[in-house]
Amino acid sequence: MASNAFGLFFRYTSWGESHGQAVGVVVDGCPAGIPLDEKMLNEALARRAPGRNYFTSPRREEDQGRLLSGVFEGRTTGTPISILITNRDARSSAYELIAPLLRPGHANFTYLAKYGYFDHQGGGRASARETTARVAAGVVARQFASETGSRVLAYLGELGTSQATPVEDPETAAAYALQSPVHAPDVSSEAAFMEELRLVMEEKDSTGGVAHFHILNTPVGLGDPVYEKFHARLAYALMSIPASKGFEIGAGFAAAAGRGSRLNDSFGLREGVVVPAGNNAGGVLGGITTGETVYGRVAFKPTSSIGLPQNTLDLQGKPATFQLPEGSRHDPCVAVRAVPVVEAMCWLVLADALLMQKAVASQNSRPVAALPFAGDGL
């Protein structure tokens, strides 16, 4: 399994399994002198951690990240940053009875087909427990990338059949989501989401959801025109999150039913600077950021682990009934805890793009046209 790292210049490698001793991450490429401490890490990890409220998995993990290297006196040293998060509440024995079965909606079928071996304890490497490492790495990326003035906001816009009230101010929505048990953007949406979750939990079923993200104050000029398009890297990052099934940016799929005359973003001047007059493009043109807000959505499927019996096969190919053991612990909607993971991956893409831009800046000439661009070559 060679695909455990993400990023070209700002790069992280995650490691560990759901029921192993620990999970962790090594971040490489972060410049020296960036403020970073364990308090920052643990505040972010708490937002993703299970067992914090009625609507998430009751598995109780402290998720206290330990900085093992790369930081001295509260600042990064420019060397690899290693972060350890210990697993403390794994109950591996609960998986023994279902080890001989193919779990509907899970990856043990594809893992067995590819590798011939699978860690059945909580899903092993395929478990969403891996996203703990992403959130930790995202804190490092945030500390670096936020120096440009950029901000990443995320919240849950849909849960099952319930849609949030249309958001007019992403900053207000994200601020509310920070303290919402279901990362909802406002009080009415929160009530609707929680009611739907209660129903799903009573039925021993699960549901999906859609996370919204906004990257504010994105510098002009990030991304490359062909294979390293900014939004292509963003799609790659967000679609690598467990249970993700859909991605869109800007007008997204709705653009397919539109007209160019309405969807093309005209140009104008804002305080003497050339800017797009609209933002149907979602802050990216030709794979390169325009300086406008980069925004989009990520869809997550219903949690694969449910309390209802399901038809399946055993490892010998014989028909069987799959039933989770009594006391199994799973989220009724993985999209709820995916929101801080979406936020983290946005920061990681942004940090990587910033370093890429700095690496190639000396090879790029200034724009020939004498236009007042917002970008300054970074």
Side-chain angles (χ1 to χ4, degrees), residues 178-189:
L178 278 172
Q179 52 82 45
S180 170
V182 290
H183 292 122
D186 57 54
V187 63
S188 61
S189 303

Side-chain angles (χ1 to χ4, degrees), residues 203-216:
E203 296 176 347
K204 297 185 177 181
D205 213 333
S206 65
T207 191
V210 179
H212 293 222
F213 64 86
H214 301 257
I215 309 177
L216 279 60

Side-chain angles (χ1 to χ4, degrees), residues 99-103 107-119 314-315:
L101 302 178
L102 294 175
R103 301 170 64 187
N108 61 338
F109 166 70
T110 49
Y111 271 52
L112 285 168
K114 183 175 178 66
Y115 302 109
Y117 196 72
F118 180 75
D119 179 358
D314 64 20
L315 298 185

